[in-house]
Amino acid sequence: MTDVLSHAKAAIARGSKSFALASRLFDAPTRDHAMLLYAWCRHTDDVIDGQVLGEGRNDDTRPPAERLAEVERLTELALAGTPEGAPAYHALARVVHETGMPPQYPRDLIHGFRIDMEERPFHTLEDTLTYCYHVAGCVGVMMAIVMGVDPKDRATLVRASDLGIAFQLNNIARDIIEDAMNSRRYIPDDWLANVGLTPTNFAFPAQRRQLFRLLIRLVDQAEDYELSARHGTPALRNRAAWAVLAAASIYGGIGRKLRKAGPEALESRMRTTMPEKLQAVSLAASQTLVRKRRWSGTHDRSGLWTMPDNA
């Protein structure tokens, strides 16, 4: 078990500095579970994309469908409590066993991989938001359970899903051009049509101003989901709420920097600096103390996409 946790800690240290920073705010048991869950998410994503910690290319030459089949098979074994293969699957088995996590949420993430692999079309915003749930919203739900939220507390889990969706919308906004270069596009068809763009010309340099208008819409949407998620933090213990509010500010800050930068934001990958991350952590500490007065769990989230009730 110690080796599995050590492997998970190494993965998070190399794979996500932002997540590593936020996880330090957890108590020790929550931090361990968060790292174990991250290890499985990172490993499966890398297997599907043929990468190493989200970068470059590995030496796996199998077709994507074969890689996905392996991830599905090994994940199901882990969910059944009989893990095989890479340490990441043993990490998932431990998290599921110790937190009572319903198997639907890991399966939902794998479904997100399938959406990407099959290159499903994104006709409307609902298509995009459905995708955002399956690649990030369900991770927010799993993290909430890791932080001690009852798997039956749907109201709080919906708020956790909203935070993951907010993160993914900001990621889509940040990576529009990079994704286009890899033949991926998550902006819906009807949004493109609204500004006179098409799926074939939206990433051309001459279209930057129209495309930036859509980037702003993505960031605005992300902020709606981020605000909704903040209203779920009163249900969390103090240290967990601190970590969530810090992560919300860090990832939300990416979108806000993109919007402020103007069309030039599309020319390079926006990042948050370490001083900005530390400032977000400091701000989140004070927000944690007043969260029950500032953000009510009864906040109206009508008009927002809601995760499926199938767990």
Side-chain angles (χ1 to χ4, degrees), residues 120-140:
R120 297 184 187 180
F122 294 83
H123 297 305
T124 66
L125 179 60
E126 182 170 353
D127 294 328
T128 299
L129 293 173
T130 298
Y131 171 76
C132 288
Y133 166 75
H134 280 287
V135 298
C138 63
V139 177

Side-chain angles (χ1 to χ4, degrees), residues 191-269:
W191 279 28
L192 293 175
N194 284 341
V195 295
L197 298 179
T198 71
T200 58
N201 73 4
F202 76 95
F204 289 178
Q207 316 292 359
R208 289 294 192 261
R209 290 198 174 276
Q210 297 100 303
L211 187 57
F212 181 68
R213 289 167 58 188
L214 300 185
L215 182 151
I216 292 175
R217 288 186 70 180
L218 287 167
V219 173
D220 289 347
Q221 284 280 325
E223 286 190 328
D224 289 342
Y225 285 91
E226 179 188 333
L227 175 60
S228 174
R230 288 175 180 272
H231 284 271
T233 58
L236 302 176
R237 295 189 295 268
N238 284 344
R239 292 189 65 169
W242 185 13
V244 166
L245 291 168
S249 293
I250 291 169
Y251 286 94
I254 293 173
R256 288 181 272 278
K257 287 179 72 172
L258 288 167
R259 186 168 55 202
K260 185 177 180 180
E264 291 298 315
L266 292 161
E267 304 304 330
S268 60
R269 200 171 197 265

Side-chain angles (χ1 to χ4, degrees), residues 54-275:
E55 298 180 351
R57 305 300 301 175
N58 61 28
D59 57 2
D60 190 343
T61 59
R62 294 176 299 167
E66 188 174 330
R67 297 198 297 267
L68 178 59
E70 175 192 280
V71 167
E72 289 178 325
R73 181 180 68 82
L74 292 176
T75 295
E76 288 300 323
L77 287 173
L79 294 175
T82 55
E84 295 180 5
Y89 296 104
H90 295 260
L92 175 64
R94 179 173 166 183
V95 171
V96 169
H97 173 71
E98 295 180 0
T99 67
M101 183 182 298
Q104 186 60 46
Y105 300 120
R107 290 169 182 160
D108 281 348
L109 180 61
I110 293 176
H111 183 70
F113 300 151
R114 182 173 294 280
I115 293 174
D116 259 334
M117 187 194 73
E118 295 177 352
E119 298 181 352
R120 297 184 187 180
F122 294 83
H123 297 305
T124 66
L125 179 60
E126 182 170 353
D127 294 328
T128 299
L129 293 173
T130 298
Y131 171 76
C132 288
Y133 166 75
H134 280 287
V135 298
C138 63
V139 177
V141 173
M142 290 188 281
M143 280 298 302
I145 294 170
V146 160
M147 287 184 275
V149 175
D150 188 326
K152 296 180 181 178
D153 182 359
R154 177 169 169 80
T156 301
L157 296 184
V158 166
R159 302 289 181 175
S161 168
D162 286 345
L163 187 59
I165 289 172
F167 288 176
Q168 189 62 27
L169 287 168
N170 279 321
N171 284 343
I172 290 171
R174 180 192 61 191
D175 298 338
I176 291 174
I177 300 302
E178 181 179 336
D179 283 336
M181 293 173 65
N182 290 302
S183 301
R184 291 183 173 179
R185 189 257 308 172
Y186 304 104
I187 300 175
D189 294 339
D190 56 0
W191 279 28
L192 293 175
N194 284 341
V195 295
L197 298 179
T198 71
T200 58
N201 73 4
F202 76 95
F204 289 178
Q207 316 292 359
R208 289 294 192 261
R209 290 198 174 276
Q210 297 100 303
L211 187 57
F212 181 68
R213 289 167 58 188
L214 300 185
L215 182 151
I216 292 175
R217 288 186 70 180
L218 287 167
V219 173
D220 289 347
Q221 284 280 325
E223 286 190 328
D224 289 342
Y225 285 91
E226 179 188 333
L227 175 60
S228 174
R230 288 175 180 272
H231 284 271
T233 58
L236 302 176
R237 295 189 295 268
N238 284 344
R239 292 189 65 169
W242 185 13
V244 166
L245 291 168
S249 293
I250 291 169
Y251 286 94
I254 293 173
R256 288 181 272 278
K257 287 179 72 172
L258 288 167
R259 186 168 55 202
K260 185 177 180 180
E264 291 298 315
L266 292 161
E267 304 304 330
S268 60
R269 200 171 197 265
M270 190 69 70
R271 301 179 185 276
T272 52
T273 65
M274 182 53 69

Side-chain angles (χ1 to χ4, degrees), residues 1-2 4-6 8-9 12 19 23-24 26-39 91-92 94-95 98-99 143 146:
M1 289 296 186
T2 301
V4 171
L5 183 57
S6 297
K9 289 179 177 179
I12 196 172
F19 193 95
S23 70
R24 294 180 190 175
F26 293 134
D27 59 83
T30 301
R31 182 168 55 250
D32 288 352
H33 284 145
M35 289 183 173
L36 291 166
L37 178 63
Y38 176 89
L92 175 64
R94 179 173 166 183
V95 171
E98 295 180 0
T99 67
M143 280 298 302
V146 160

